Amino acid sequence: MSDKIRIAPSILAADFTQLGQQIRDAQAAGAECIHIDVMDGRFVPNMSMGPLVVEAARRSTDLPLDVHLMIVEPDHLLDLFAKAGASTIHVHWETGFHLNRTLTHIRELGCDVGIAINPHTPVAVLSEVLPLVDKVLVMTVNPGYGGQEMIPQTLHKVTQLREIIDSQKLAIDVMVDGGVNEATIGEVVDAGADLLVVGSGFFNSKFTPAQGMERLHTALEKHRTNQGQLTAR
Ligand code: DX5
Ligand code: ZN
């Protein structure tokens, strides 16, 4: 596994009174992309942002924008999000009646294709859609809110996916979303994730985005040192 960790800060935890600056700070701190959580109050019990915020984020950075749609019937909004500047669009497996059509449409719009799965959804359901996607987003909390504790029983799905993707030599990023922070980053990386969505562990009133990034790196280094000491024993 590569030593480099790739972080996708989730602006759900950002200070919205200074969103542009928060995004620029995230870029300066070395973020891989900006994760934007779209919630409709139906698929999840909360509401958040829409295409307008994606468009504002697009004007704030040249980093890729990773748009996570937690909405029912996503099909009729895909064009709007692509037009607003989304680089990747993730739809939830649980919202798809005609996923083949939905994922193909995202590709036709010129975006990278992502599929997200809820904590209760097994990896096995993805077998027919893996060839159509660039990213799989494994939810490690029930979607709808930032700052929740990770559900550790979800991590075996990351490992399962990693094995499938490696054995089939697919070029797919395994992403983890929910409860990734200093305390959990080690086990998430060990499980086989490539790209980590981090909300409150990155944007937080207690530290700057640069410090948030630093804290994540330090925590991972510490974890690796501890693991090394354990295996050396
Ligand atoms: C949750 C969202 C996450 C959220 C993560 O429904 O999909 O992207 O922002 O926030 P943290 O890292 O605070 O759990
Ligand atoms: Zn998300």
Side-chain angles (χ1 to χ4, degrees), residues 10 12 35-39 66 68 70 137 139 177-178 197:
S10 164
L12 192 66
H35 185 79
I36 304 180
D37 289 303
V38 177
M39 303 179 184
D66 191 67
H68 177 192
M70 286 163 273
L137 186 66
M139 290 307 302
D177 188 3
V197 177

Side-chain angles (χ1 to χ4, degrees), residues 92-94 115-119 121-123 125-126 137-139 157:
H92 265 265
W93 181 86
E94 299 82 8
I115 185 85
I117 51 171
N118 275 340
T121 302
V123 163
V125 300
L126 298 177
L137 186 66
V138 178
M139 290 307 302
K157 294 197 293 177

Side-chain angles (χ1 to χ4, degrees), residues 43 69 71-75 91-103 115-116 125 129:
F43 179 63
L69 297 183
I71 61 176
V72 295
E73 300 170 7
D75 296 76
V91 292
H92 265 265
W93 181 86
E94 299 82 8
T95 65
F97 288 120
H98 301 286
L99 264 181
N100 186 296
R101 177 183 291 145
T102 306
L103 300 174
I115 185 85
V125 300
V129 295

Side-chain angles (χ1 to χ4, degrees), residues 11-152:
I11 59 168
L12 192 66
D15 177 353
F16 271 69
T17 63
Q18 29 193 327
L19 186 58
Q21 191 55 48
Q22 293 260 279
I23 291 174
R24 286 188 288 277
D25 289 349
Q27 177 160 14
E32 173 85 9
C33 58
I34 301 295
H35 185 79
I36 304 180
D37 289 303
V38 177
M39 303 179 184
D40 65 352
R42 293 186 64 205
F43 179 63
V44 290
N46 196 6
M47 297 181 86
S48 60
M49 320 157 216
L52 203 69
V53 175
V54 173
E55 193 266 334
R58 184 67 293 155
R59 283 186 283 119
S60 307
T61 182
D62 51 16
L63 285 180
L65 301 180
D66 191 67
V67 176
H68 177 192
L69 297 183
M70 286 163 273
I71 61 176
V72 295
E73 300 170 7
D75 296 76
H76 61 283
L77 289 170
L78 297 175
D79 292 49
L80 266 184
F81 281 103
K83 200 162 163 236
S87 313
T88 299
I89 300 180
H90 300 268
V91 292
H92 265 265
W93 181 86
E94 299 82 8
T95 65
F97 288 120
H98 301 286
L99 264 181
N100 186 296
R101 177 183 291 145
T102 306
L103 300 174
T104 304
H105 187 52
I106 296 173
R107 177 83 62 209
E108 284 165 0
L109 289 169
C111 297
D112 281 353
V113 184
I115 185 85
I117 51 171
N118 275 340
H120 73 276
T121 302
V123 163
V125 300
L126 298 177
S127 62
E128 302 305 314
V129 295
L130 281 183
L132 301 175
V133 306
D134 302 292
K135 296 185 164 108
V136 178
L137 186 66
V138 178
M139 290 307 302
T140 40
V141 296
N142 288 302
Y145 302 96
Q148 302 183 80
E149 238 174 69
M150 175 174 288
I151 303 169

